[in-house]
Amino acid sequence: MTINNSWTQVDPLMQAQGELVLRKLVDAGYPSYFVGGCVRDELMSRPVHDMDIASSATPEQVIALFDHVIPTGLQHGTVTVLMENIFHFEVTTFRTESTYGDHRRPSSVQFVSDITEDLQRRDFTMNAIARDVNGELTDPFGGAKDIESKTLRCVGLASERFDEDALRMLRAVRFASVFSFRPVKSLWAGLLAEKAKLKYIAIERVRAELTRVVLGPDPLYGLALIKRSGLYHYFKAPMSWSGYINEDLLNMLPIVPTDCALIRWSLLLQGLGYSSSQSLDLMKSWTFSNEEAEGTSKLILFDELWHEKLAKNQDLEAQRRSWIKLELELGKQSSEDWLKREKLLQSTGRYEQLLAWHEEIKIYAPHELCITGKDVLETTQKQGGPWLGQFLKKVTYLVAVGDLSNEKEMLLDAANKEVIQNGI
């Protein structure tokens, strides 16, 4: 099958350098092809970010041909060719793979001379297409047709592909979700038969696939596949779909921009019934960074505490003071994240009022006061102690709500009154 040789989704400079690599291999007598995601994404009119190459050349033969080569994976037949000190092209020798002892990686690989044998080891038909330098496709498993019909199908027997590498089951969910593809019955049956083997996969790899689903264009589709299949039962870190589920929050996921990760995670975890503390523990067990775990947990906590205060039916001024106190407790970033979430969800009808209160806050922490602890001790002639930190925190709140001005004389006067009133 021949297609237009013009790449439409590739940076022209990267294309030119990639074709130089391919032609040099072919001219040296080594059949070589672009393979994998670059071919798939070009057929799908999706941006291509890298161009991988499969070749009959061994790593040693590739190293001999090019000036700048990085031996990135010699045990699997892969080296990286560096062109113009900018573009990297992974070149992997045609290979087949032996048994997968850990349901993740092959125990060994064998080099072969035929591209079809190499394509046969790949996971899905859409990823098992090769393209030569003239635009001729080698597509022995009908991947191009499956792409056209938006069908997700394994190469060969799905149960064998999933037994080899159990992570492929979550990759199937991710591809279906991100590309809006429909898994064929044989793939789904194979996934159900082999799903228990997901327990062998490191949680970091599971998290990476789940993250692509949650931050993808149709997270609800991917999450529904995870729930319906029961894959979540076999995550190394627990994640329960069996508790309280807030469908309203979950249904908001697609309207949140894909770059708002903390907001999406907060909606998912709250929607599944996780509290802020439970979310923190869960995300840490999933090996999220502290910044991601704590940011998401704080966002959920902000939501929990604010709605708890709203339930008290305070008057407007009391609500303003509660709002500012909450912002000081959880920080400016958490409040801004929560406001951004509320604006996207349009759930309170009070966004403009809350935003106005937020913008009125001049300081968030004692170090932003125009006095220091040393100033207070010199003015009051008292010894330091717990009272000092409590006082600075108190006047920070009073300045934030507008009861005091952030002026040195006024704040030191407040310090003297504090000492007298409390008998310090």
Side-chain angles (χ1 to χ4, degrees):
M1 175 182 178
T2 303
I3 60 175
N4 188 326
N5 193 35
S6 299
W7 293 81
T8 62
Q9 303 298 316
V10 182
D11 175 87
L13 294 177
M14 181 170 70
Q15 174 190 338
Q17 294 301 316
E19 289 179 344
L20 279 177
V21 174
L22 207 62
R23 287 187 186 280
K24 191 165 186 176
L25 287 164
V26 172
D27 290 346
Y30 306 117
S32 302
Y33 304 83
F34 293 115
V35 291
C38 66
V39 181
R40 176 199 68 215
D41 289 345
E42 177 68 30
L43 290 174
M44 294 176 65
S45 297
R46 293 171 56 89
V48 172
H49 301 293
D50 50 56
M51 303 178 79
D52 292 339
I53 294 170
S55 175
S56 65
T58 65
E60 293 75 17
Q61 290 167 334
V62 177
I63 291 171
L65 271 180
F66 296 93
D67 294 331
H68 302 289
V69 180
I70 305 168
T72 45
L74 290 178
Q75 71 275 25
H76 295 115
T78 300
V79 295
T80 299
V81 176
L82 178 61
M83 299 291 285
E84 298 292 324
N85 292 317
I86 298 175
F87 299 104
H88 296 73
F89 301 94
E90 282 196 356
V91 181
T92 301
T93 307
F94 299 156
R95 71 189 196 201
T96 60
E97 296 167 344
S98 66
T99 58
Y100 289 64
D102 59 358
H103 303 285
R104 178 69 187 103
R105 295 179 182 84
S107 301
S108 63
V109 301
Q110 295 81 43
F111 296 155
V112 295
S113 58
D114 181 58
I115 183 61
T116 299
E117 284 187 85
D118 181 87
L119 296 175
Q120 191 170 356
R121 69 178 173 82
R122 296 174 185 265
D123 50 8
F124 308 110
T125 59
M126 65 178 183
N127 295 330
I129 309 171
R131 172 177 172 150
D132 70 13
V133 73
N134 297 313
E136 182 80 20
L137 296 184
T138 298
D139 183 15
F141 308 106
K145 182 178 179 181
D146 284 341
I147 288 173
E148 186 177 357
S149 63
K150 301 180 78 68
T151 299
L152 187 63
R153 188 190 315 274
C154 285
V155 174
L157 295 176
S159 58
E160 291 183 1
R161 298 293 80 75
F162 295 147
D163 177 65
E164 291 167 349
D165 181 356
L167 187 64
R168 286 171 173 168
M169 291 182 279
L170 270 182
R171 281 170 57 83
V173 170
R174 189 244 298 182
F175 283 134
S177 174
V178 171
F179 297 155
S180 298
F181 275 26
R182 175 185 56 83
V184 297
K185 290 181 180 179
S186 60
L187 183 151
W188 191 252
L191 186 152
L192 295 179
E194 302 295 328
K195 62 184 178 182
K197 290 171 183 171
L198 190 61
K199 64 186 178 184
Y200 293 104
I201 303 301
I203 195 62
E204 294 87 350
R205 294 188 176 276
V206 174
R207 171 179 53 78
E209 293 299 331
L210 182 62
T211 295
R212 292 183 178 103
V213 172
V214 173
L215 303 186
D218 192 358
L220 295 182
Y221 179 32
L223 293 169
L225 292 176
I226 290 173
K227 180 181 178 182
R228 184 153 58 93
S229 66
L231 280 173
Y232 65 93
H233 287 301
Y234 303 99
F235 294 165
K236 277 191 172 179
M239 189 172 193
S240 176
W241 259 265
S242 58
Y244 171 72
I245 295 181
N246 186 327
E247 295 286 352
D248 290 338
L249 287 179
L250 293 178
N251 288 336
M252 292 294 184
L253 280 169
I255 74 170
V256 176
T258 57
D259 60 349
C260 296
L262 296 188
I263 294 178
R264 283 211 177 187
W265 282 112
S266 72
L267 290 173
L268 172 62
L269 294 175
Q270 276 189 285
L272 295 178
Y274 285 88
S275 67
S276 57
S277 60
Q278 290 170 331
S279 298
L280 180 62
D281 292 341
L282 179 69
M283 294 188 78
K284 285 188 174 181
S285 69
W286 276 76
T287 69
F288 281 90
S289 69
N290 287 336
E291 181 180 1
E292 292 170 309
E294 291 171 6
T296 302
S297 176
K298 275 190 174 183
L299 184 49
I300 294 173
L301 181 60
F302 198 107
D303 190 69
E304 291 170 345
L305 293 177
W306 177 242
H307 285 104
E308 177 185 306
K309 294 179 185 301
L310 274 179
K312 294 180 179 179
N313 294 318
Q314 301 165 317
D315 61 38
L316 193 61
E317 176 59 16
Q319 284 194 4
R320 183 183 75 87
R321 288 174 173 269
S322 292
W323 169 266
I324 293 174
K325 184 177 181 181
L326 184 57
E327 283 214 43
L328 298 189
E329 288 175 356
L330 297 184
K332 184 177 182 180
Q333 187 60 56
S334 293
S335 59
E336 289 180 346
D337 288 341
W338 188 85
L339 282 167
K340 187 174 183 179
R341 181 175 118 158
E342 289 300 288
K343 183 178 182 180
L344 289 167
L345 305 188
Q346 299 179 340
S347 59
T348 65
R350 297 200 40 210
Y351 169 77
E352 296 298 336
Q353 176 66 81
L354 298 176
L355 179 63
W357 289 344
H358 168 72
E359 292 176 343
E360 289 172 5
I361 300 175
K362 304 300 182 186
I363 65 171
Y364 281 83
H367 72 265
E368 298 175 89
L369 293 168
C370 66
I371 60 170
T372 65
K374 182 179 178 181
D375 293 330
V376 174
L377 295 179
E378 288 178 351
T379 296
T380 60
Q381 297 296 298
K382 296 296 179 181
Q383 295 293 318
W387 74 271
L388 180 59
Q390 294 167 2
F391 169 73
L392 292 174
K393 184 177 180 181
K394 176 182 177 180
V395 294
T396 298
Y397 168 74
L398 293 174
V399 170
V401 297
D403 291 350
L404 284 177
S405 296
N406 193 11
E407 300 173 2
K408 187 171 185 177
E409 183 177 345
M410 182 174 290
L411 296 180
L412 292 178
D413 182 56
N416 285 319
K417 291 178 180 178
E418 183 80 7
V419 168
I420 294 171
Q421 290 172 358
N422 292 286
I424 296 171

